[in-house]
Amino acid sequence: MILLSRHLEYIIPESHDGKKVIHFLRGEKKFSCRLIASLKQTPDGIELNGEHIRTIDRIKTGDVLSVNIPDDDNKIEPVNYPLDIVYEDEDIMVINKPAGLAVHPTHNHQGDTLANAVSAYLINKGKNVSFRAVGRLDKQTSGLVLLAMNKYSAAYLPDRYEKEYFAIVKGFYDSPGTINKKIYRPDPMKSLRAVSGEIGYEAVTHYTPVSSDGKRTLMHITLETGRTHQIRVHFSSIGSPLAGDDMYSSTDTSINRAALHCGKLTLIHPETNEKMTFSAPLPEDMNAVLNTPESPFVPVKIKT
């Protein structure tokens, strides 16, 4: 089994002629201070034209700067479980996660998580890579999960990706809106969240109606913040809990989990700087609600 080291190689552009190595890595390539500190402790972590170099040394146009990023040893138990891999390369992986699968191992979930499945998948390929989810989804939530495949990607990605969600909520809506309410945790021993006007963390949710059966609406949702249970608690706070979400007061039993799906992911690739967009269709259980024969959803005419 191979403990991977990500090798990156850069030709120094004229714009960085005479500048220090650290200025190129921090300014041009957005390396984190923590990653650079780790590289400085690695014998061949940073090299210039094949020779060891310090981060305070200066570089010239045309120089070849090499970076070798070692990975940590994977400590997560491998458990074979089918994965819907949307995209994979040396730096990122995008997976369409089913509802009911937790992302990380916890006290209540040992061996039955996405992390366990990814560990097994990579080990079967002869790789030993730490599991790094960039933003997580609730166990009940289906859809796209972004994984960083090395330390550089993990440091680069958090501020360079956006997710778009779809949720089925109570009530009829025919105009876009925004929910701007702080979220806090009433009981530190429970995962339940609540909204508040005074305490908690800022949370902003934007929504646009897509279709409706007159009693429920399929919403397209984007977030300015990424708080735990943000979409679920925000819609519950305005009297429109997600279908199936009994934790947040839903009485709609047409689906046996909170009807929430991450359907679109847009990111800037850490190595190529390419803008990439991935999508995942609504899962069967949400589609079944939308296509109920006695009350099918129809497109909403948006009021402007």
Side-chain angles (χ1 to χ4, degrees), residues 85-155:
I85 298 174
V86 178
Y87 179 82
E88 177 187 5
D89 64 23
E90 289 185 280
D91 297 297
I92 65 172
M93 182 185 291
V94 179
I95 296 174
N96 183 18
K97 182 186 82 72
L101 183 67
V103 173
H104 291 91
T106 64
H107 176 72
N108 295 321
H109 295 283
Q110 293 291 325
D112 59 347
T113 72
L114 182 66
N116 299 111
V118 170
S119 177
Y121 170 77
L122 293 173
I123 286 174
N124 288 338
K125 294 181 68 174
K127 299 179 180 179
N128 193 21
V129 179
S130 296
F131 181 83
R132 299 182 177 91
V134 184
R136 66 177 68 187
L137 297 182
D138 294 342
K139 177 184 175 183
Q140 293 189 31
T141 304
S142 58
L144 299 171
V145 177
L146 173 62
L147 305 182
M149 302 303 289
N150 53 62
K151 292 179 180 179
Y152 173 50
S153 297

Side-chain angles (χ1 to χ4, degrees), residues 180-191:
N180 187 348
K181 296 182 179 183
K182 291 182 178 180
I183 293 176
Y184 73 106
R185 191 174 189 173
D187 185 341
M189 301 303 293
K190 297 180 180 179
S191 60

Side-chain angles (χ1 to χ4, degrees), residues 18 28 37 67 73 80 190 210 219 245 287 294:
E28 180 74 11
V67 177
D73 191 13
N80 287 310
K190 297 180 180 179
V210 177
M219 292 289 194
D245 195 2
N287 270 322
E294 59 271 19

